[in-house]
Amino acid sequence: MLHKTRGIALNYIRYRESSIIAKVYTEAFGIQSYIVNGVRNSKSKTNRVALFQPLTLLDMVVYQKSKEATIHRISELKCYAPFQSLPYDVFKSSLALFVTEILGKTLREEEPNEPLFQFIEDSVMYLDEAEDGFENFHIQFLLQYASYLGFGVETIEDLESELKENHFPQIADARELNATEYLLHNPYGISVALDRTRRVDILEKLIFFYKIHMDSLGEIRSLEVLREVLK
């Protein structure tokens, strides 16, 4: 059957000579994989593979098979909110790559979750539209996203307690704790004075926190790129 849904592109792999298999987080069906034929054909008049670049916001009409099927097909496809800056700004694109990898490793449900979809969509649109003040975006994203995954914290004391119980080696100073608490309870774009060292320390702490709750997280390959950009 044909269904309309919005989607957020995560990644894709090449399939045969000119096709791809794309992973998309959809509003109607959760995380799904779609085979898309002919998008890598050099003779094609349109560059449709660009629609599957990380975090592209998609309007889709899909052939959704039974729940047992692992790969579906797309009938119609277009971007409903073209990016203005995200792919062209090195800092933003590094943040997007990091967020995409986190999503790809943590999104598991093949069921609709409208609040989660809305949160990710809002986060992506904020990052694209922000002109400044987005240097802590990745930290706030991780702090908020944890709640949608079922292990968010209400206070920084809760976070520090879990880290201590699991033998996290780093001890935070008062300035780092206050900054993290402020980021936890405020929207994107809030101004918080953090130097590079503390920003990296908080990020590594949050990655460790995620690994406590998600054994499948594994190595975050984009983390090294992000560290370099944050210098």
Side-chain angles (χ1 to χ4, degrees):
M1 291 180 63
L2 286 173
H3 300 269
K4 290 184 178 181
T5 182
R6 292 186 296 171
I8 301 170
L10 298 180
N11 53 57
Y12 66 84
I13 59 172
R14 295 181 178 184
Y15 179 70
R16 296 182 177 174
E17 291 186 5
S18 61
S19 303
I20 62 172
I21 295 176
K23 182 178 287 188
V24 181
Y25 185 64
T26 69
E27 185 176 24
F29 305 105
I31 192 74
Q32 297 290 327
S33 293
Y34 297 96
I35 185 169
V36 190
N37 293 324
V39 292
R40 293 171 43 238
N41 190 334
S42 60
K43 297 180 181 179
S44 175
K45 295 181 180 179
T46 58
N47 183 21
R48 292 183 69 214
V49 75
L51 291 171
F52 297 97
Q53 296 303 311
L55 303 182
T56 303
L57 303 173
L58 302 169
D59 264 332
M60 310 166 67
V61 178
V62 299
Y63 295 101
Q64 204 69 17
K65 302 178 183 178
S66 65
K67 287 189 176 181
E68 290 71 27
T70 57
I71 300 179
H72 308 274
R73 290 186 178 273
I74 298 174
S75 173
E76 298 176 27
L77 178 70
K78 66 178 180 179
C79 174
Y80 65 84
F83 290 137
Q84 303 301 310
S85 67
L86 198 153
Y88 318 112
D89 182 299
V90 173
F91 190 9
K92 285 187 177 183
S93 59
S94 299
L95 291 169
L97 186 64
F98 171 75
V99 166
T100 302
E101 185 173 2
I102 292 292
L103 292 173
K105 289 176 176 287
T106 55
L107 289 170
R108 292 289 179 266
E109 291 185 358
E110 296 182 0
E111 298 290 342
N113 186 332
E114 291 186 16
L116 175 54
F117 184 92
Q118 193 65 56
F119 163 71
I120 299 172
E121 181 195 57
D122 289 346
S123 299
V124 172
M125 295 185 76
Y126 162 77
L127 182 60
D128 181 57
E129 295 169 1
E131 295 182 0
D132 52 40
F134 55 85
E135 61 275 2
N136 297 313
F137 168 80
H138 54 309
I139 293 173
Q140 287 185 280
F141 179 86
L142 290 176
L143 286 167
Q144 296 177 37
Y145 182 45
S147 296
Y148 293 93
L149 296 177
F151 55 86
V153 294
E154 294 293 329
T155 67
I156 193 61
E157 287 79 11
D158 295 337
L159 175 62
E160 291 296 319
S161 177
E162 281 205 49
L163 293 170
K164 185 176 181 181
E165 288 175 7
N166 287 275
H167 311 292
F168 184 70
Q170 182 182 318
I171 300 175
D173 60 22
R175 186 172 178 181
E176 181 181 315
L177 291 173
N178 289 337
T180 309
E181 181 85 46
Y182 200 60
L183 291 171
L184 174 64
H185 294 295
N186 282 282
Y188 292 130
I190 196 73
S191 178
V192 179
L194 274 175
D195 56 43
R196 175 189 174 275
T197 299
R198 286 189 174 91
R199 188 174 289 117
V200 170
D201 286 347
I202 294 171
L203 178 58
E204 292 182 348
K205 177 188 298 184
L206 291 174
I207 294 294
F208 186 92
F209 174 63
Y210 269 64
K211 288 182 177 180
I212 293 171
H213 295 275
M214 305 198 78
D215 295 335
S216 61
L217 195 64
E219 178 188 3
I220 307 299
R221 295 181 180 179
S222 58
L223 195 54
E224 191 57 40
V225 175
L226 191 56
R227 288 195 189 103
E228 287 299 314
V229 174
L230 287 173
K231 285 184 178 179

